[in-house]
Amino acid sequence: MTEQLAGFKSADIVFTDGKTLTDVTVGIYPGWIRIQTESANQFHPRERIDRIQSNR
């Protein structure tokens, strides 16, 4: 795995298909986004993500 470029402890994600996830932990890597929820650790290609909004 390459080095993480950025991360957010609490963020909302909007996918290009309109699906949303709220209050998740996000890691941004070259070409990939890691999304952690209470029950899962998922990787998605950056092209599938429309928006990431931090909830600081």
Side-chain angles (χ1 to χ4, degrees), residues 4-33:
Q4 182 173 318
L5 301 174
F8 304 100
K9 292 194 181 283
S10 178
D12 296 339
I13 305 289
V14 179
F15 292 90
T16 55
D17 65 1
K19 176 182 169 187
T20 61
L21 293 173
T22 58
D23 197 26
V24 296
T25 300
V26 176
I28 300 174
Y29 297 86
W32 295 91
I33 305 293

Side-chain angles (χ1 to χ4, degrees), residues 6 12 18 20 27 32 36 38 41 46 56:
D12 296 339
T20 61
W32 295 91
Q36 290 179 290
E38 289 181 12
N41 190 26
R46 291 180 76 171
R56 292 189 199 193

Side-chain angles (χ1 to χ4, degrees), residues 32-51:
W32 295 91
I33 305 293
R34 177 177 46 95
I35 300 171
Q36 290 179 290
T37 64
E38 289 181 12
S39 61
N41 190 26
Q42 306 170 0
F43 288 86
H44 296 277
R46 291 180 76 171
E47 301 83 38
R48 290 199 52 222
I49 308 296
D50 184 47
R51 270 189 320 272

